[in-house]
Amino acid sequence: MSESAQPGKIRLPARVLLVGVGGMGVNAIDALHGSTADFMDCVAIDSDQSVLDQCHAPRQIQIGVPLTQGHSTGGDSDLGRRAAINDFVKLREVFTHSDLVILLAGLGGGLGSGAAPVIAQTARDEGALVITVATLPFNFEGKERAQEAEAAVSRLREAGQALVTLPNEYLCMPPHDQRPIEEAFRVALDQLADGLRLIWTLLGQRNLINLDFINLKNMLEHSQGACRFVYAEASGASRAPLVLSRLQAHPAIQQEEALKSCGSLLIGVLGSTDLALADVQSVVHGITAEVHANAHRVMGVGLDEHARQHMGVLLLIGDPAAAPAERAPVRETKAPVKVAPARPSAQRGPKRIEQPELELPTISKGRFKNVEPTVMDGEDLDLPTFIRRGLRLSR
Amino acid sequence: MASPPIVGLEIGTSRVRALVGEEREDGYLMITGVGECASRGVRKGEITDFDNALVCVQQALNMAEEQSKVTINQALVALTGGHIQGAISRGTTPIIPADSEITEADMQTVMESARAVSLPPERMTLHSIHQQFFVDDQQGVINPEGMVGARLAVSMLILHGVRNRILNVLKVVSSAGVDIVESAFGGLAAALAVLTPEQKESGCLVLDLGGGTTDYVVYANRCIALAGSIGVGGDHITNDLSMVLRIPSATAEKLKVDMGVGLPGARVPDQPVTIQPSGGFAGRTVRYHDVNAIISARVEETLQMVHTQLVRNNLHNVMGAGAILTGGGAHLKNMEEFASSVLHMPCVIGRPRNVSGIATATEGPEYAVTVGMLRYGMRQPARDGRSGGLFDMLGRIFRR
Ligand SMILES: Nc1nc2c(ncn2[C@@H]2O[C@H](COP(=O)(O)OP(=O)(O)OP(=O)(O)O)[C@@H](O)[C@H]2O)c(=O)[nH]1
Ligand SMILES: [Mg+2]
């Protein structure tokens, strides 16, 4: 857990929970296995028993069993949504003690697109800051998935507080690459895992240029609820120019021109102990040259004692929507996020202080838990109408 | 004494109720004993804990026995549960020779064929109620006997439910040492207790708002056009409040009763509602608007489901007498007005008619079902089991 005070580490200001939703989310948790996920509290959520069976997360929550009979939603996002609603009490209990929830999901899938927004809202209603980190489908996955993903993006932005997207299509793989598809999937996962690991390390230690939870929170609030996730790394003597060129070649930067139009930017640099100031300078200058002077910038630079001749850089590019979607030739759909005016951050409520935690007996479906559910048109009517209709308590 | 005492029993989700009554010579029902016990082991009208349910039934019966000074060894038992559904079945038979007079035997034949619906094996027929006869092309025939035609048809409302759940209820009663004279769908009983002949004639909806179920019966076109049960009731409102606001059930129940359902469109200033500590619960302040939104959402949805049933069966515009609300849920503040706005018809609270005796049972809509069971018993002249189906109410309810 983040709270264990290790020497040289600073205590994170938050009780953090890493949540993987759906096949992609659960894979992502596994990709983080062996590093970040080991000292973070994590939960895997899926309707699909076979997915949960294979994952390493210490806590697993199966949702929507009566609706899916323990299988996947088969890409049906409405089923995914109902699966989450079906188990909202279980989910709510998971978030009762979290300050920060990082939600990982693959948008386009039934559970990722349907359940993730409900889960994000549930976590938010419990008073947690929610950051959803989600992949967007490959082009080859088809229009339907792209549309599902797009719809999920808008729902997530309504429900959560921050959405970081990573289009699978933006993988740094050269065209005509003959590597198997499994590997393509793997690359995105690795980027996601490495990027998260980087930011996690920066948040959890004292740095040369410090980055803390509040910085991150502010940056995300400036991002109008959506930003792009770009990660690159390199090793060896010329790692700095290599990293820079990899970043500059990244489709989000090269084709989408996200940097030119961004309203906020986070740069996280993690290097081996021999990291040179010049290296940092060259990379940061290279990246920020195009960025508007008024953009909100946050930076963190830290050292990784275990690495050798290595440099990793994570960019969170806020509000990339101003970059015209049609200039991103890689994507045929408009998946680069269209930005609707975001809720002013003031409305993003603080933790509910007036509602102290309660020591109530665990309720799952309250008094109806042992009775055959009243199901109509696939909806479990025993669950509060208020919840099923997505209504929210006033603050 | 005009008749031997009869006993009506309802094993409700919130209460078990027993009534002892006698039929007076003027047709009035004289209530001589009331027994009541808060239910345990009953959810949504179904038995979930046999032993607890049995204890409650015994308590209610004992209370009624003490008050009425009779020994109860027979009862009429009301049945409910979300599993109870209505279906319309049609039967047809040729008149042989063609264009001869229709006989009583023809009517029996055609009704028999309408009753012969094939239900899933776990289900049984509770009632088969004939609605109207068709003689050749003429519809809406009440009594075809003596008419001339080539073909006779009938439509019947078949009320069916899950056999084991019905038998469980009956088993609890017989385990309490009571013979079951009859059992009937609670919604029909409520209708029998509260409706005036005029209401039946003009068409109306009887809505029994129970703790665990909402039972509906529709009178239209001079017959029982539709009936059924939805497994959602007042308990759900309480549970919703308890779950969403995270307050104990008992506290939620009180909040529900205090607040009632908000009036649609009414602008009420939001205000904090203080919920007192109790047991391990530390107390809390919630918002008036939130409580209201939780209750209204549930009540609206439940009523809307009934309305959808009406629309589906094209019955939403044929109820001249509007809706008559019975059951404990009818007590919810503003319920009549709220229901009117969702169902798009006038709604009134239904109270048992033509009863005298112990006041509580003569006044409240929550007694409609048990009083109705007594009425049902009064109308069973010969209990010779000749009736069709399990309990054929064939027109008896409709006949005055
Ligand atoms: N990069 C990467 N993307 C993945 C991976 N698995 C799934 N995705 C993406 O995530 C999307 C959702 O897929 P899943 O997560 O398997 O779907 P799900 O959310 O479990 O939903 P259902 O299985 O339909 O119930 C896909 O369209 C892919 O774009 C993975 O291992 N790596
Ligand atoms: Mg899946």
PDB file of all heavy atoms in Angstrom, chain A residues 312-339:
ATOM      1  N   GLY A 312      12.991   7.565 -19.480  1.00  0.00           N
ATOM      2  CA  GLY A 312      11.595   7.396 -19.883  1.00  0.00           C
ATOM      3  C   GLY A 312      10.882   8.735 -19.745  1.00  0.00           C
ATOM      4  O   GLY A 312      11.140   9.491 -18.809  1.00  0.00           O
ATOM      5  N   VAL A 313       9.997   9.018 -20.689  1.00  0.00           N
ATOM      6  CA  VAL A 313       9.246  10.272 -20.633  1.00  0.00           C
ATOM      7  C   VAL A 313       7.757   9.985 -20.843  1.00  0.00           C
ATOM      8  O   VAL A 313       7.373   9.274 -21.777  1.00  0.00           O
ATOM      9  CB  VAL A 313       9.724  11.272 -21.713  1.00  0.00           C
ATOM     10  CG1 VAL A 313       8.878  12.546 -21.662  1.00  0.00           C
ATOM     11  CG2 VAL A 313      11.189  11.604 -21.513  1.00  0.00           C
ATOM     12  N   LEU A 314       6.973  10.523 -19.961  1.00  0.00           N
ATOM     13  CA  LEU A 314       5.518  10.418 -20.119  1.00  0.00           C
ATOM     14  C   LEU A 314       4.953  11.810 -20.356  1.00  0.00           C
ATOM     15  O   LEU A 314       5.270  12.756 -19.634  1.00  0.00           O
ATOM     16  CB  LEU A 314       4.861   9.833 -18.860  1.00  0.00           C
ATOM     17  CG  LEU A 314       3.337   9.869 -18.887  1.00  0.00           C
ATOM     18  CD1 LEU A 314       2.781   8.840 -19.859  1.00  0.00           C
ATOM     19  CD2 LEU A 314       2.734   9.674 -17.508  1.00  0.00           C
ATOM     20  N   LEU A 315       4.116  11.913 -21.379  1.00  0.00           N
ATOM     21  CA  LEU A 315       3.402  13.165 -21.603  1.00  0.00           C
ATOM     22  C   LEU A 315       1.917  12.912 -21.413  1.00  0.00           C
ATOM     23  O   LEU A 315       1.382  11.942 -21.936  1.00  0.00           O
ATOM     24  CB  LEU A 315       3.630  13.668 -23.033  1.00  0.00           C
ATOM     25  CG  LEU A 315       5.077  13.845 -23.509  1.00  0.00           C
ATOM     26  CD1 LEU A 315       5.071  14.337 -24.960  1.00  0.00           C
ATOM     27  CD2 LEU A 315       5.826  14.824 -22.617  1.00  0.00           C
ATOM     28  N   LEU A 316       1.301  13.779 -20.657  1.00  0.00           N
ATOM     29  CA  LEU A 316      -0.156  13.810 -20.655  1.00  0.00           C
ATOM     30  C   LEU A 316      -0.512  15.125 -21.321  1.00  0.00           C
ATOM     31  O   LEU A 316      -0.197  16.201 -20.810  1.00  0.00           O
ATOM     32  CB  LEU A 316      -0.715  13.761 -19.235  1.00  0.00           C
ATOM     33  CG  LEU A 316      -0.468  12.468 -18.445  1.00  0.00           C
ATOM     34  CD1 LEU A 316      -1.167  12.527 -17.080  1.00  0.00           C
ATOM     35  CD2 LEU A 316      -0.935  11.249 -19.219  1.00  0.00           C
ATOM     36  N   ILE A 317      -1.117  15.015 -22.493  1.00  0.00           N
ATOM     37  CA  ILE A 317      -1.387  16.215 -23.278  1.00  0.00           C
ATOM     38  C   ILE A 317      -2.858  16.551 -23.130  1.00  0.00           C
ATOM     39  O   ILE A 317      -3.730  15.830 -23.623  1.00  0.00           O
ATOM     40  CB  ILE A 317      -1.025  15.992 -24.753  1.00  0.00           C
ATOM     41  CG1 ILE A 317       0.396  15.419 -24.851  1.00  0.00           C
ATOM     42  CG2 ILE A 317      -1.140  17.297 -25.535  1.00  0.00           C
ATOM     43  CD1 ILE A 317       0.797  15.041 -26.258  1.00  0.00           C
ATOM     44  N   GLY A 318      -3.114  17.608 -22.417  1.00  0.00           N
ATOM     45  CA  GLY A 318      -4.488  17.931 -22.044  1.00  0.00           C
ATOM     46  C   GLY A 318      -5.264  18.579 -23.162  1.00  0.00           C
ATOM     47  O   GLY A 318      -4.713  19.336 -23.957  1.00  0.00           O
ATOM     48  N   ASP A 319      -6.533  18.245 -23.198  1.00  0.00           N
ATOM     49  CA  ASP A 319      -7.445  18.906 -24.117  1.00  0.00           C
ATOM     50  C   ASP A 319      -6.946  18.880 -25.557  1.00  0.00           C
ATOM     51  O   ASP A 319      -6.763  19.926 -26.174  1.00  0.00           O
ATOM     52  CB  ASP A 319      -7.624  20.366 -23.670  1.00  0.00           C
ATOM     53  CG  ASP A 319      -8.798  21.007 -24.383  1.00  0.00           C
ATOM     54  OD1 ASP A 319      -9.570  20.282 -25.004  1.00  0.00           O
ATOM     55  OD2 ASP A 319      -8.909  22.242 -24.290  1.00  0.00           O
ATOM     56  N   PRO A 320      -6.702  17.731 -26.095  1.00  0.00           N
ATOM     57  CA  PRO A 320      -6.141  17.657 -27.439  1.00  0.00           C
ATOM     58  C   PRO A 320      -7.183  17.907 -28.519  1.00  0.00           C
ATOM     59  O   PRO A 320      -6.851  17.903 -29.703  1.00  0.00           O
ATOM     60  CB  PRO A 320      -5.646  16.212 -27.520  1.00  0.00           C
ATOM     61  CG  PRO A 320      -6.563  15.466 -26.618  1.00  0.00           C
ATOM     62  CD  PRO A 320      -7.006  16.412 -25.546  1.00  0.00           C
ATOM     63  N   ALA A 321      -8.389  18.172 -28.139  1.00  0.00           N
ATOM     64  CA  ALA A 321      -9.460  18.186 -29.128  1.00  0.00           C
ATOM     65  C   ALA A 321      -9.352  19.344 -30.093  1.00  0.00           C
ATOM     66  O   ALA A 321      -9.843  19.277 -31.215  1.00  0.00           O
ATOM     67  CB  ALA A 321     -10.802  18.243 -28.438  1.00  0.00           C
ATOM     68  N   ALA A 322      -8.717  20.406 -29.640  1.00  0.00           N
ATOM     69  CA  ALA A 322      -8.602  21.547 -30.529  1.00  0.00           C
ATOM     70  C   ALA A 322      -7.794  21.175 -31.769  1.00  0.00           C
ATOM     71  O   ALA A 322      -7.887  21.825 -32.798  1.00  0.00           O
ATOM     72  CB  ALA A 322      -7.956  22.713 -29.799  1.00  0.00           C
ATOM     73  N   ALA A 323      -7.018  20.119 -31.649  1.00  0.00           N
ATOM     74  CA  ALA A 323      -6.320  19.636 -32.837  1.00  0.00           C
ATOM     75  C   ALA A 323      -7.341  19.000 -33.762  1.00  0.00           C
ATOM     76  O   ALA A 323      -7.998  18.054 -33.385  1.00  0.00           O
ATOM     77  CB  ALA A 323      -5.281  18.610 -32.433  1.00  0.00           C
ATOM     78  N   PRO A 324      -7.474  19.543 -34.950  1.00  0.00           N
ATOM     79  CA  PRO A 324      -8.537  19.063 -35.823  1.00  0.00           C
ATOM     80  C   PRO A 324      -8.378  17.569 -36.086  1.00  0.00           C
ATOM     81  O   PRO A 324      -7.299  17.097 -36.435  1.00  0.00           O
ATOM     82  CB  PRO A 324      -8.342  19.853 -37.106  1.00  0.00           C
ATOM     83  CG  PRO A 324      -7.454  20.996 -36.742  1.00  0.00           C
ATOM     84  CD  PRO A 324      -6.666  20.578 -35.553  1.00  0.00           C
ATOM     85  N   ALA A 325      -9.454  16.862 -35.907  1.00  0.00           N
ATOM     86  CA  ALA A 325      -9.408  15.418 -36.030  1.00  0.00           C
ATOM     87  C   ALA A 325      -9.031  14.994 -37.439  1.00  0.00           C
ATOM     88  O   ALA A 325      -8.350  14.013 -37.642  1.00  0.00           O
ATOM     89  CB  ALA A 325     -10.753  14.829 -35.656  1.00  0.00           C
ATOM     90  N   GLU A 326      -9.479  15.771 -38.430  1.00  0.00           N
ATOM     91  CA  GLU A 326      -9.254  15.322 -39.800  1.00  0.00           C
ATOM     92  C   GLU A 326      -7.774  15.411 -40.193  1.00  0.00           C
ATOM     93  O   GLU A 326      -7.353  14.824 -41.154  1.00  0.00           O
ATOM     94  CB  GLU A 326     -10.164  16.024 -40.810  1.00  0.00           C
ATOM     95  CG  GLU A 326     -10.357  17.505 -40.746  1.00  0.00           C
ATOM     96  CD  GLU A 326     -11.167  18.035 -39.550  1.00  0.00           C
ATOM     97  OE1 GLU A 326     -11.540  17.281 -38.627  1.00  0.00           O
ATOM     98  OE2 GLU A 326     -11.395  19.236 -39.540  1.00  0.00           O
ATOM     99  N   ARG A 327      -6.999  16.123 -39.369  1.00  0.00           N
ATOM    100  CA  ARG A 327      -5.582  16.171 -39.683  1.00  0.00           C
ATOM    101  C   ARG A 327      -4.831  14.965 -39.138  1.00  0.00           C
ATOM    102  O   ARG A 327      -3.633  14.868 -39.231  1.00  0.00           O
ATOM    103  CB  ARG A 327      -4.974  17.463 -39.140  1.00  0.00           C
ATOM    104  CG  ARG A 327      -5.128  18.594 -40.153  1.00  0.00           C
ATOM    105  CD  ARG A 327      -4.155  19.692 -39.844  1.00  0.00           C
ATOM    106  NE  ARG A 327      -4.762  20.711 -39.016  1.00  0.00           N
ATOM    107  CZ  ARG A 327      -4.060  21.461 -38.159  1.00  0.00           C
ATOM    108  NH1 ARG A 327      -2.769  21.261 -38.017  1.00  0.00           N
ATOM    109  NH2 ARG A 327      -4.658  22.386 -37.468  1.00  0.00           N
ATOM    110  N   ALA A 328      -5.549  14.081 -38.536  1.00  0.00           N
ATOM    111  CA  ALA A 328      -4.905  12.877 -38.030  1.00  0.00           C
ATOM    112  C   ALA A 328      -5.187  11.739 -39.004  1.00  0.00           C
ATOM    113  O   ALA A 328      -6.162  11.024 -38.867  1.00  0.00           O
ATOM    114  CB  ALA A 328      -5.450  12.531 -36.656  1.00  0.00           C
ATOM    115  N   PRO A 329      -4.346  11.587 -40.018  1.00  0.00           N
ATOM    116  CA  PRO A 329      -4.655  10.658 -41.083  1.00  0.00           C
ATOM    117  C   PRO A 329      -4.677   9.204 -40.624  1.00  0.00           C
ATOM    118  O   PRO A 329      -5.251   8.365 -41.278  1.00  0.00           O
ATOM    119  CB  PRO A 329      -3.517  10.876 -42.089  1.00  0.00           C
ATOM    120  CG  PRO A 329      -2.416  11.503 -41.306  1.00  0.00           C
ATOM    121  CD  PRO A 329      -3.038  12.224 -40.177  1.00  0.00           C
ATOM    122  N   VAL A 330      -4.085   8.955 -39.496  1.00  0.00           N
ATOM    123  CA  VAL A 330      -4.038   7.574 -39.043  1.00  0.00           C
ATOM    124  C   VAL A 330      -5.433   7.052 -38.752  1.00  0.00           C
ATOM    125  O   VAL A 330      -5.745   5.908 -38.998  1.00  0.00           O
ATOM    126  CB  VAL A 330      -3.160   7.479 -37.783  1.00  0.00           C
ATOM    127  CG1 VAL A 330      -3.219   6.075 -37.207  1.00  0.00           C
ATOM    128  CG2 VAL A 330      -1.725   7.836 -38.134  1.00  0.00           C
ATOM    129  N   ARG A 331      -6.267   7.940 -38.253  1.00  0.00           N
ATOM    130  CA  ARG A 331      -7.588   7.473 -37.841  1.00  0.00           C
ATOM    131  C   ARG A 331      -8.615   7.829 -38.891  1.00  0.00           C
ATOM    132  O   ARG A 331      -8.687   8.955 -39.350  1.00  0.00           O
ATOM    133  CB  ARG A 331      -7.977   8.118 -36.525  1.00  0.00           C
ATOM    134  CG  ARG A 331      -7.000   7.806 -35.420  1.00  0.00           C
ATOM    135  CD  ARG A 331      -7.654   8.049 -34.100  1.00  0.00           C
ATOM    136  NE  ARG A 331      -8.823   7.198 -33.943  1.00  0.00           N
ATOM    137  CZ  ARG A 331      -8.755   5.948 -33.530  1.00  0.00           C
ATOM    138  NH1 ARG A 331      -7.614   5.402 -33.260  1.00  0.00           N
ATOM    139  NH2 ARG A 331      -9.846   5.241 -33.395  1.00  0.00           N
ATOM    140  N   GLU A 332      -9.433   6.858 -39.229  1.00  0.00           N
ATOM    141  CA  GLU A 332     -10.499   7.190 -40.154  1.00  0.00           C
ATOM    142  C   GLU A 332     -11.735   7.686 -39.418  1.00  0.00           C
ATOM    143  O   GLU A 332     -12.535   8.414 -39.943  1.00  0.00           O
ATOM    144  CB  GLU A 332     -10.850   5.995 -41.038  1.00  0.00           C
ATOM    145  CG  GLU A 332     -11.176   4.749 -40.236  1.00  0.00           C
ATOM    146  CD  GLU A 332     -11.065   3.488 -41.079  1.00  0.00           C
ATOM    147  OE1 GLU A 332     -10.561   3.581 -42.225  1.00  0.00           O
ATOM    148  OE2 GLU A 332     -11.470   2.432 -40.587  1.00  0.00           O
ATOM    149  N   THR A 333     -11.856   7.281 -38.161  1.00  0.00           N
ATOM    150  CA  THR A 333     -12.983   7.778 -37.377  1.00  0.00           C
ATOM    151  C   THR A 333     -12.524   9.004 -36.602  1.00  0.00           C
ATOM    152  O   THR A 333     -11.350   9.323 -36.566  1.00  0.00           O
ATOM    153  CB  THR A 333     -13.449   6.716 -36.384  1.00  0.00           C
ATOM    154  OG1 THR A 333     -12.335   6.390 -35.571  1.00  0.00           O
ATOM    155  CG2 THR A 333     -13.924   5.484 -37.108  1.00  0.00           C
ATOM    156  N   LYS A 334     -13.471   9.638 -35.983  1.00  0.00           N
ATOM    157  CA  LYS A 334     -13.126  10.860 -35.275  1.00  0.00           C
ATOM    158  C   LYS A 334     -12.739  10.596 -33.836  1.00  0.00           C
ATOM    159  O   LYS A 334     -13.015  11.391 -32.958  1.00  0.00           O
ATOM    160  CB  LYS A 334     -14.323  11.819 -35.283  1.00  0.00           C
ATOM    161  CG  LYS A 334     -14.731  12.250 -36.669  1.00  0.00           C
ATOM    162  CD  LYS A 334     -15.768  13.345 -36.564  1.00  0.00           C
ATOM    163  CE  LYS A 334     -17.018  12.811 -35.903  1.00  0.00           C
ATOM    164  NZ  LYS A 334     -18.040  13.773 -35.618  1.00  0.00           N
ATOM    165  N   ALA A 335     -12.111   9.487 -33.603  1.00  0.00           N
ATOM    166  CA  ALA A 335     -11.850   9.130 -32.212  1.00  0.00           C
ATOM    167  C   ALA A 335     -11.077  10.163 -31.399  1.00  0.00           C
ATOM    168  O   ALA A 335     -11.320  10.288 -30.216  1.00  0.00           O
ATOM    169  CB  ALA A 335     -11.149   7.792 -32.140  1.00  0.00           C
ATOM    170  N   PRO A 336     -10.155  10.943 -32.026  1.00  0.00           N
ATOM    171  CA  PRO A 336      -9.584  11.998 -31.190  1.00  0.00           C
ATOM    172  C   PRO A 336     -10.718  12.821 -30.597  1.00  0.00           C
ATOM    173  O   PRO A 336     -11.602  13.287 -31.302  1.00  0.00           O
ATOM    174  CB  PRO A 336      -8.738  12.802 -32.153  1.00  0.00           C
ATOM    175  CG  PRO A 336      -8.361  11.827 -33.204  1.00  0.00           C
ATOM    176  CD  PRO A 336      -9.534  10.905 -33.337  1.00  0.00           C
ATOM    177  N   VAL A 337     -10.648  12.928 -29.340  1.00  0.00           N
ATOM    178  CA  VAL A 337     -11.796  13.348 -28.570  1.00  0.00           C
ATOM    179  C   VAL A 337     -12.333  14.717 -28.935  1.00  0.00           C
ATOM    180  O   VAL A 337     -11.591  15.673 -29.043  1.00  0.00           O
ATOM    181  CB  VAL A 337     -11.396  13.372 -27.090  1.00  0.00           C
ATOM    182  CG1 VAL A 337     -12.569  13.701 -26.224  1.00  0.00           C
ATOM    183  CG2 VAL A 337     -10.769  12.051 -26.723  1.00  0.00           C
ATOM    184  N   LYS A 338     -13.605  14.802 -29.139  1.00  0.00           N
ATOM    185  CA  LYS A 338     -14.271  16.093 -29.296  1.00  0.00           C
ATOM    186  C   LYS A 338     -14.599  16.598 -27.904  1.00  0.00           C
ATOM    187  O   LYS A 338     -15.160  15.876 -27.096  1.00  0.00           O
ATOM    188  CB  LYS A 338     -15.575  15.913 -30.081  1.00  0.00           C
ATOM    189  CG  LYS A 338     -15.349  15.835 -31.574  1.00  0.00           C
ATOM    190  CD  LYS A 338     -15.401  17.228 -32.185  1.00  0.00           C
ATOM    191  CE  LYS A 338     -15.064  17.193 -33.659  1.00  0.00           C
ATOM    192  NZ  LYS A 338     -13.621  17.252 -33.914  1.00  0.00           N
ATOM    193  N   VAL A 339     -14.270  17.815 -27.685  1.00  0.00           N
ATOM    194  CA  VAL A 339     -14.436  18.303 -26.332  1.00  0.00           C
ATOM    195  C   VAL A 339     -15.699  19.125 -26.166  1.00  0.00           C
ATOM    196  O   VAL A 339     -15.927  20.086 -26.881  1.00  0.00           O
ATOM    197  CB  VAL A 339     -13.229  19.149 -25.904  1.00  0.00           C
ATOM    198  CG1 VAL A 339     -13.499  19.806 -24.567  1.00  0.00           C
ATOM    199  CG2 VAL A 339     -12.025  18.257 -25.797  1.00  0.00           C
TER     200      VAL A 339
END
